[in-house]
Amino acid sequence: MTWSPRPAPEANLETECYWRAASNGDFLVRECNDCGLVYHYPRSLCPDCFSDDVE
């Protein structure tokens, strides 16, 4: 069995900022302003309380 790299994920409107920063060597996380959860994987809603007040 040979190893082959996985294809890079395609950026969309929700993840474009994350992938742009990653290409510059920066790692971004989001924080929910309602419940305070800090989370990774770029998404526009908090995975804990589903608030859209995230930055």
Side-chain angles (χ1 to χ4, degrees):
M1 176 157 48
T2 61
W3 180 84
S4 60
R6 294 184 178 140
E10 291 187 33
N12 58 40
L13 289 176
E14 192 173 34
T15 64
E16 182 180 6
C17 183
Y18 172 81
W19 291 116
R20 189 175 335 114
S23 71
N24 292 326
D26 296 321
F27 181 68
L28 299 181
V29 295
R30 290 200 176 222
E31 181 175 7
C32 177
N33 290 319
D34 286 339
C35 73
L37 181 72
V38 176
Y39 60 93
H40 169 65
Y41 194 76
R43 60 190 86 168
S44 57
L45 295 177
C46 173
D48 191 46
C49 71
F50 304 109
S51 170
D52 64 353
D53 187 13
V54 296
E55 56 183 59

